């Protein structure tokens, strides 16, 4: 059985760790509220942009409008945007995203496709470096903080230029979709060539709703607007992915730190019980020594 001093030192150490995990939980909670507000404020804009883009796509001339819509016949080069966190202590958050990337790389590598990476976050960058594959760009200390839209534009422009120059044939992005405090979903999405905008034509619409449905009047033409809006759609998708990943990271860290705090409480209870047992054993031993000494004096 360990000595009283050893057990007491362990209890003090766990109590200090508990204070750290509680503080990190509070910091993550504060950051998550800001990230969640930014994400929820941007979602309606992204949805409306997709709605307008879908309306214009019905009027435009199809794939002839922009080369960003034309799929390549022979796909040999693929760029993967991997969004992870810069710091750990967030449970299995990064592992899920990296596992999604591993499966994607394994699937594409089997088809003799050269894969390169664009990394947001140090965790994904370290994994990509171990793969010994080309890394086009790296953006560190972006996810998890206040994300400027310029970062998404910078990354999007570089990828679009590479796609138009035939330096890559397809671009995908892996990010974490925020589905709630305990639910972060790894998502694989194709960015380039831009997939057709899906519209739910079979959705039932009442007569009153049909009469008030807005038809977008295009000035200039739909084709010209599509040429301007398609690159911006790439920027918006990247920015949305970063906002979702940032919110998911803070939620995962909150959950991890909450579990760590509970584990500290359990350890303190177990160590306190061990301390009490050791203390009781020491007291019993001292009493036995006293009784034994008294009996010896009597004899």
């Amino acid at each position: 059985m360990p000595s009283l001093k050893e057990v007491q030192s362990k209890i003090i150490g766990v109590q200090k760790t508990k204070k750290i995990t509680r503080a990190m939980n509070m910091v993550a909670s504060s950051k998550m509220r800001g990230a969640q507000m930014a994400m929820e404020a941007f979602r309606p804009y992204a949805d409306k942009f997709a709605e307008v883009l879908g309306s214009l796509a019905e009027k435009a001339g199809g794939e002839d409008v922009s080369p960003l819509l034309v799929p390549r016949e022979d796909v040999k080069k693929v760029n993967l945007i991997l969004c992870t966190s810069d710091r750990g202590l967030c449970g299995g958050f990064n592992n899920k995203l990296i596992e999604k990337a591993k499966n994607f790389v394994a699937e594409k590598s089997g088809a003799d496709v050269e894969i390169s990476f664009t990394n947001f976050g140090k965790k994904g960058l370290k994994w990509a470096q171990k793969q010994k594959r080309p890394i086009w760009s790296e953006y560190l200390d972006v996810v998890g903080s206040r994300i400027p839209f310029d970062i998404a534009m910078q990354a999007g422009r570089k990828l679009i230029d590479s796609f138009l120059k035939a330096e890559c044939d397809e671009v995908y992005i892996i990010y974490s979709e925020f589905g709630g405090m305990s639910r972060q979903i790894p998502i694989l999405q194709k960015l380039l060539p831009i997939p057709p905008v899906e519209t739910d034509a079979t959705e039932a619409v009442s007569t009153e709703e049909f009469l008030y449905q807005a038809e977008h009047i295009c000035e200039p033409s739909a084709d010209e607007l599509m040429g301007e809006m398609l690159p911006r759609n790439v920027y918006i998708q990247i920015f949305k992915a970063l906002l979702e990943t940032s919110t998911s990271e803070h939620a995962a860290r909150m959950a991890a730190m909450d579990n760590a705090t509970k584990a500290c409480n359990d350890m303190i209870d177990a160590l306190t019980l061990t301390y009490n047992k050791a203390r009781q054993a020491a007291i019993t031993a001292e009493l036995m020594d006293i009784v034994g000494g008294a009996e010896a004096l009597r004899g």
Side-chain angles (χ1 to χ4, degrees):
M1 181 175 290
S3 66
L4 289 175
K5 188 174 182 180
E6 290 176 351
V7 177
Q8 198 169 20
S9 298
K10 288 182 180 179
I11 292 175
I12 293 172
V14 175
Q15 287 174 340
K16 290 180 179 178
T17 303
K18 178 184 172 182
K19 290 180 181 179
I20 294 172
T21 56
R22 287 182 62 185
M24 292 183 68
N25 180 283
M26 294 174 66
V27 171
S29 174
S30 176
K31 289 184 176 181
M32 198 211 72
R33 281 194 291 270
Q36 188 175 7
M37 288 175 61
M39 179 197 68
E40 291 177 348
F42 188 74
R43 275 179 175 176
Y45 174 80
D47 294 340
K48 193 64 179 178
F49 191 92
E51 177 188 334
V52 174
L53 195 62
S55 176
L56 291 176
E58 294 177 356
K59 301 176 182 179
E63 294 180 353
D64 297 333
V65 175
S66 172
L68 299 179
L69 296 170
V70 182
R72 304 286 164 79
E73 295 181 1
D74 192 15
V75 177
K76 289 298 182 184
K77 298 178 181 179
V78 173
N79 185 265
L80 176 63
I81 307 173
L82 180 56
C83 302
T84 59
S85 70
D86 290 283
R87 285 165 284 278
L89 299 177
C90 48
F93 172 75
N94 291 306
N95 291 336
K96 291 178 183 178
L97 293 167
I98 290 174
E99 189 65 28
K100 191 82 171 178
K102 282 181 181 177
N103 296 335
F104 175 81
V105 170
E107 179 184 347
K108 290 295 183 180
S109 298
D112 296 328
V113 175
E114 178 185 338
I115 299 176
S116 56
F117 289 97
T118 297
N119 290 101
F120 286 90
K122 294 177 183 177
K123 297 298 181 179
L125 175 62
K126 289 180 180 178
W127 174 80
Q129 289 172 340
K130 292 179 182 178
Q131 304 304 305
K132 297 182 180 179
R133 296 178 184 272
I135 297 176
W136 282 12
S137 303
E138 53 188 67
Y139 303 91
L140 307 181
D141 297 319
V142 174
V143 179
S145 58
R146 179 170 291 182
I147 304 169
F149 188 74
D150 292 346
I151 293 291
M153 289 183 64
Q154 180 183 343
R157 283 198 192 106
K158 185 171 182 178
L159 291 167
I160 289 172
D161 291 342
S162 300
F163 181 78
L164 295 177
K165 294 176 183 177
E167 294 175 356
C168 67
D169 301 315
E170 288 181 345
V171 177
Y172 291 84
I173 186 169
I174 291 178
Y175 67 97
S176 180
E177 183 180 68
F178 180 73
M181 291 301 301
S182 59
R183 191 163 174 260
Q184 296 87 41
I185 311 160
I187 300 293
L188 173 66
Q189 180 182 342
K190 187 176 184 180
L191 286 185
L192 292 173
I194 298 174
V197 180
E198 296 181 1
T199 55
D200 191 1
T202 61
E203 185 179 357
V205 180
S206 66
T207 305
E208 184 177 355
E209 288 176 337
F210 179 78
L211 290 174
Y212 287 97
Q213 277 186 329
E215 180 179 357
H216 299 97
I217 300 173
C218 303
E219 179 65 33
S221 67
D223 289 358
E224 293 181 59
L225 284 176
M226 284 286 285
E228 293 291 330
M229 292 180 69
L230 287 174
R232 181 164 288 271
N233 179 63
V234 176
Y235 311 153
I236 287 173
Q237 295 302 321
I238 294 175
F239 188 61
K240 179 185 175 184
L242 294 177
L243 291 176
E244 296 273 353
T245 303
S246 179
T247 308
S248 298
E249 177 196 349
H250 295 312
R253 184 168 287 110
M254 278 183 63
M257 291 300 101
D258 186 55
N259 291 334
T261 303
K262 291 178 181 177
C264 287
N265 288 330
D266 294 340
M267 290 180 66
I268 290 172
D269 291 341
L271 287 170
T272 302
L273 182 61
T274 303
Y275 177 82
N276 291 335
K277 287 181 178 179
R279 182 169 173 271
Q280 187 64 46
I283 293 172
T284 303
E286 289 177 4
L287 288 174
M288 292 294 291
D289 291 341
I290 294 170
V291 171
E295 289 294 332
L297 289 174
R298 282 184 191 177

